[in-house]
């Protein structure tokens, strides 16, 4: 499946302007810079161990997406010189090519956490997954990660969180039907 050319302009509640777009292989450098924008705590909460950097294998996995089995959205903003700034990344990977279950993950750089970007990104990711036949997201979060638990409950108040007994929780949430989500919209700035 070809990766769709999705782009949406969003203005967060605090006025921050961002663009959500499908991730492509050419985004390796942006993803590396985005990883650098995650502090030690954010990296630990996302990867569940103190990850110091992204390997070539990690970058291949994050950028070689097919749009169906493995789908990823990135969020960019701009610096004072109008250069793209990596702000967030979300992806889902199906359990198997035709599975209705996919593992989902979201990461937002420290500077933009708490502004609603994770919620917007997860909703867009869920919309794309639902349109591709995915009915449930699964994944793991640290039990101490209250922000992630709140984000999941925002998409599905009935999200199931089951303890692994290792300080992590396995989540399982049912996705709304595709028509529940608003369509890709927004005019990109000139």
């Amino acid at each position: 499946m070809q990766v769709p050319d999705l782009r949406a302009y969003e203005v967060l509640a605090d006025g921050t302007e961002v663009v959500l777009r499908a991730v492509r292989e050419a985004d390796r450098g942006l993803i590396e810079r985005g990883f650098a924008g995650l502090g030690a705590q954010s990296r630990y909460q996302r990867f569940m161990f103190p990850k110091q950097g992204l390997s070539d294998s990690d970058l291949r996995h994050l950028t070689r997406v097919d749009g169906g089995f493995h789908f990823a959205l990135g969020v960019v903003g701009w610096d004072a010189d109008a250069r793209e700034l990596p702000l967030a990344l979300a992806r889902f990977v199906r359990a198997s090519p035709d599975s209705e279950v996919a593992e989902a993950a979201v990461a937002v750089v420290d500077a933009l956490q708490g502004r609603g970007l994770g919620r917007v990104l997860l909703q867009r990711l869920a919309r794309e997954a639902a349109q591709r036949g995915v009915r449930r997201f699964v994944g793991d979060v640290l039990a101490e990660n209250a922000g992630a638990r709140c984000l999941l409950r925002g998409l599905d108040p009935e999200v199931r969180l089951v303890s692994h007994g290792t300080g992590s929780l396995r989540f399982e949430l049912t996705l709304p039907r595709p028509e529940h989500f608003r369509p890709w919209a927004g005019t990109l700035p000139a």
Side-chain angles (χ1 to χ4, degrees), residues 56-125:
D56 283 339
S57 176
D58 292 334
L59 289 167
R60 271 192 305 277
H61 175 69
L62 292 169
T63 58
R64 288 191 181 164
V65 296
D66 65 10
F69 175 74
H70 184 184
F71 179 87
L73 286 173
V75 180
V76 295
W78 303 272
D79 66 13
D81 296 322
R83 290 180 298 212
E84 278 189 322
L85 292 174
L87 304 176
L89 183 67
R91 64 156 183 84
F92 71 79
V93 179
R94 287 178 128 129
S96 64
D98 294 325
S99 178
E100 291 185 349
V101 178
E103 183 174 349
V106 175
V108 177
V109 297
D110 287 7
L112 259 69
Q113 290 179 10
R115 297 187 192 186
L117 181 55
R119 178 187 50 76
V120 168
L121 189 54
L122 183 60
Q123 288 174 346
R124 293 286 187 166
L125 186 71

Side-chain angles (χ1 to χ4, degrees), residues 7-74:
R7 295 178 70 84
Y9 174 70
E10 294 275 348
V11 179
L12 303 180
D14 68 355
T16 302
E17 298 175 350
V18 300
V19 169
L20 286 79
R21 63 177 178 77
V23 170
R24 305 214 180 274
E25 197 165 346
D27 290 328
R28 286 175 64 108
L30 274 173
I31 290 173
E32 283 182 300
R33 288 180 25 228
F35 183 85
L38 297 174
Q41 181 67 18
S42 294
R43 290 177 186 183
Y44 183 74
Q45 287 179 332
R46 169 59 189 89
F47 297 99
M48 296 189 198
F49 68 94
K51 191 167 183 71
Q52 299 300 312
L54 296 173
S55 67
D56 283 339
S57 176
D58 292 334
L59 289 167
R60 271 192 305 277
H61 175 69
L62 292 169
T63 58
R64 288 191 181 164
V65 296
D66 65 10
F69 175 74
H70 184 184
F71 179 87
L73 286 173

